[in-house]
Amino acid sequence: MTATGSAQTSSELQTALGAMWGSRDPDVRLQELVNQAPSGSPLLLIDGERREAHSGARFDNVDPTTERVMGSTADAGPEDVEEAIAAARRAFDETTWATDHAFRRRCLEQLHAGLVRVADDLRATAVWEVGAAVRTTHAFHSDFALDLLPWFAELAESYDYDLTLPDQPWAAGTRRLIAREPVGVVAAITPWNFPLYTAMTKIAPALASGNTVILKPAPQTPWHATLLARVVAEETDIPAGVLNIVPTSDNAVAEILTTDRRVDMVHFTGSTAVGRKIITNSAERIGRVALELGGKSANILLDDAPIADIVPVAAGMVCWSAGQGCVLPTRLLVPQDRYDEAVQLATAAYHGIAYGDPRDPLVIQGPQVSAVQRERVLSFIEKGEAEGATLLAGGGIPAHLDTGYFVEPTLFGDVDRNATIAQQEIFGPVLCLMPYRDEADAIALANGTAYGLAGSVFSADQDRAVSVARRVRSGMMSVNGGFFYARDLPVGGYKQSGLGHECGVQGFEEFLETKAIAIGV
């Protein structure tokens, strides 16, 4: 399979799309790796030991590009998860991990060094099990994720865990301080779209702040986590039980982590529907939750924005990672009097998106992660047409690709703001092009969904764009192409897009309890 559509796209557009979010041409070694067959025997990590599941069960890992089974992974059962929870509980309660800040820093620095050494293997794994385009794997599938570790490692030691308040001169007087202490045992449940990055946004701050962790990766993409397990076991001094990794194919087994009273916190990234279930389970045990959920981000092009320059790239962004990103701007809002121009620009761009085999260094869009996900995307496309939207490009399975879970880059126009495809997260390469009347209407349109994760604004007037960004009810906003992912910048959503934050000091503090101490003097 080869890249499709690039001949119809200007070289400038291909360059711009190729450079998005840290994308770059793969070097020779990485290209060789992704063309090899995966090897190894992915195992669980429980109480410091890499091993098979007690039952001996394993589950298949399927290449979404070829639809072939690449290998299998140890499949954790209830008894394995029970042992992981017990190990994490014991490591938190009976060791000095929670109080030895310098030791935690050293262990996280070791983990960073070990993962850097296998960075190309992590990138290749993203191509094999996610279907990520090889040129995009230097971003969230490796560099951005690994960059979190040294920052949180330093914070583990430098953070001021005790804050002294002025004495209170009542009675005999009272000294007062506020102590920040780790929550305890954290269950980290991660999705399949950016498995390494979403794991690091949980593991790095949770461990740095003194917690112990049980990581449950998505069954579609377990090998990122099992490679992490190997590095932890072989190249770090992280004590047994501090980090446990339990891939499982059974959602009922995974749910144990959300109901067990020995788990102090559940940190989840994934769908809003699953987030609701986790909240319900946590209510039963009165446990802390942090949720990074779905999105329906709007990209607002104000009437003074250079539409001819922005529309092609803004449209193409939705095809990055096959549209499988919660922050991707899946609604493109343009002034009504320039809507026809935007349709022409976006349609031309969509006919020129390079998609196909993710091992091809020209490709931007690979396959959906699974047959189930492809069917979900196609069902939304059918719903869009049934509800009256105009299909401008794509809309089906590529006729020229015999294998792989591919969906054509798909563009809809004439989308009613209340239509299903304008309201619900599709998680595929599907863009809704929507006109607005004036600035107030654009903001209302952007805010008119149940989500509030991210968004973008473009304007020739930076102050105006920032003013609009402030009025959009989303946790992250990009102005004129600004990049809101950084290790020191908090990530989180409004409304049904989540609770709490990842990254930044705010993300570190998600994993801390607050204790007030008053001392009579």
Side-chain angles (χ1 to χ4, degrees):
M1 289 178 284
T2 57
T4 298
S6 56
Q8 294 176 280
T9 308
S10 68
S11 59
E12 293 84 359
L13 174 59
Q14 277 302 112
T15 299
L17 292 177
M20 283 190 305
W21 294 353
S23 302
R24 65 175 185 258
D25 292 335
D27 58 27
V28 173
R29 181 175 184 276
L30 177 56
Q31 196 66 58
E32 290 175 348
L33 269 178
V34 300
N35 289 320
Q36 296 173 4
S39 61
S41 180
L43 301 170
L44 313 179
L45 175 64
I46 298 176
D47 206 12
E49 179 187 0
R50 292 177 65 229
R51 62 169 177 79
E52 296 285 354
H54 274 301
S55 67
R58 300 185 69 86
F59 64 95
D60 291 339
N61 199 351
V62 177
D63 181 344
T65 304
T66 65
E67 304 182 42
R68 292 197 297 264
V69 174
M70 299 179 290
S72 64
T73 306
D75 194 355
E79 63 274 32
D80 301 299
V81 171
E82 157 66 30
E83 287 189 7
I85 295 171
R89 186 78 263 168
R90 184 172 57 252
F92 183 79
D93 292 338
E94 300 178 10
T95 75
T96 61
W97 179 258
T99 55
D100 193 339
H101 311 320
F103 178 59
R104 297 202 303 270
R105 177 176 184 169
R106 178 163 64 85
C107 288
L108 289 177
E109 288 172 345
Q110 290 173 335
L111 180 58
H112 176 251
L115 290 174
V116 167
R117 280 192 286 275
V118 298
D120 275 344
D121 298 280
L122 290 165
R123 295 177 187 118
T125 301
V127 178
W128 293 329
E129 66 179 3
V130 183
V134 64
R135 69 171 303 114
T136 70
T137 58
H138 282 83
F140 291 99
H141 294 293
S142 57
D143 297 356
F144 293 179
L146 300 188
D147 190 49
L148 296 173
L149 279 166
W151 192 82
F152 280 111
E154 190 279 330
L155 195 59
E157 194 170 14
S158 66
Y159 183 79
D160 188 358
Y161 295 91
D162 290 339
L163 173 64
T164 301
L165 299 182
D167 289 354
Q168 184 173 273
W170 294 352
T174 301
R175 287 179 50 217
R176 302 174 300 159
L177 58 91
I178 298 171
R180 304 303 303 274
E181 301 174 348
V183 169
V185 175
V186 175
I189 303 174
T190 55
W192 43 258
N193 57 336
F194 299 108
L196 181 67
Y197 182 80
T198 52
M200 284 300 112
T201 60
K202 296 164 177 46
I203 290 171
L207 295 182
S209 54
N211 300 276
T212 58
V213 176
I214 305 139
L215 172 65
K216 201 295 291 183
Q220 297 89 342
T221 55
W223 287 355
H224 283 80
T226 56
L227 179 52
L228 169 64
R230 193 188 80 196
V231 173
V232 169
E234 296 178 357
E235 301 194 41
T236 79
D237 295 321
I238 294 175
V242 167
L243 178 58
N244 307 272
I245 298 176
V246 286
T248 178
S249 63
D250 188 341
N251 288 336
V253 172
E255 192 172 355
I256 295 170
L257 293 170
T258 71
T259 58
D260 194 296
R261 294 180 183 274
R262 292 169 296 175
V263 174
D264 299 294
M265 179 181 187
V266 177
H267 204 300
F268 169 77
T269 298
S271 72
T272 298
V274 176
R276 291 192 188 99
K277 177 67 172 176
I278 289 172
I279 290 174
T280 299
N281 290 348
S282 296
E284 178 65 25
R285 62 183 180 82
I286 313 296
R288 183 183 290 200
V289 297
L291 308 172
E292 200 275 284
L293 305 176
K296 194 66 184 177
S297 301
N299 194 344
I300 304 171
L301 275 57
L302 296 178
D303 54 19
D304 61 350
I307 284 180
D309 296 330
I310 297 171
V311 165
V313 177
M317 283 182 68
V318 179
C319 299
W320 192 82
S321 195
Q324 298 171 141
C326 52
V327 303
L328 293 175
T330 55
R331 295 180 295 151
L332 183 57
L333 314 185
V334 298
Q336 199 165 47
D337 60 359
R338 303 194 68 180
Y339 177 71
D340 291 343
E341 177 187 359
V343 165
Q344 293 179 354
L345 291 165
T347 302
Y350 263 59
H351 284 303
I353 297 294
Y355 69 97
D357 189 335
R359 295 163 181 81
D360 185 336
L362 295 178
V363 159
I364 298 299
Q365 177 189 320
Q368 310 310 123
V369 76
S370 66
V372 170
Q373 183 61 20
R374 179 176 64 181
E375 290 309 306
R376 171 184 164 83
V377 174
L378 292 173
S379 71
F380 272 105
I381 293 171
E382 291 176 5
K383 188 77 168 177
E385 290 189 276
E387 292 183 355
T390 301
L391 185 63
L392 300 172
I397 298 173
H400 66 286
L401 297 178
D402 297 329
T403 61
Y405 306 127
F406 291 95
V407 175
E408 294 174 310
T410 299
L411 174 66
F412 278 107
D414 303 313
V415 181
D416 184 90
R417 63 187 63 199
N418 296 314
T420 301
I421 59 172
Q423 290 290 319
Q424 295 186 22
E425 184 176 53
I426 299 172
F427 231 58
V430 181
L431 176 66
C432 297
L433 186 60
M434 307 173 72
Y436 65 83
R437 296 183 298 274
D438 53 27
E439 185 176 294
D441 187 45
I443 294 168
L445 189 54
N447 288 335
T449 75
Y451 298 105
L453 186 58
S456 304
V457 184
F458 285 88
S459 172
D461 183 338
Q462 185 180 97
D463 290 340
R464 181 188 180 199
V466 170
S467 175
V468 169
R470 288 181 179 276
R471 286 178 280 168
V472 175
R473 298 287 295 168
S474 290
M476 298 169 284
M477 291 296 296
S478 168
V479 171
N480 289 340
F483 192 59
F484 48 62
Y485 275 106
R487 58 191 186 179
D488 56 353
L489 198 62
V491 170
Y494 290 11
K495 301 188 285 185
Q496 292 187 23
S497 287
L499 301 170
H501 289 87
E502 298 175 337
C503 300
V505 174
Q506 293 85 349
F508 182 84
E509 291 175 338
E510 285 288 340
F511 296 95
L512 295 174
E513 296 279 17
T514 301
K515 178 181 289 183
I517 301 176
I519 307 165
V521 295

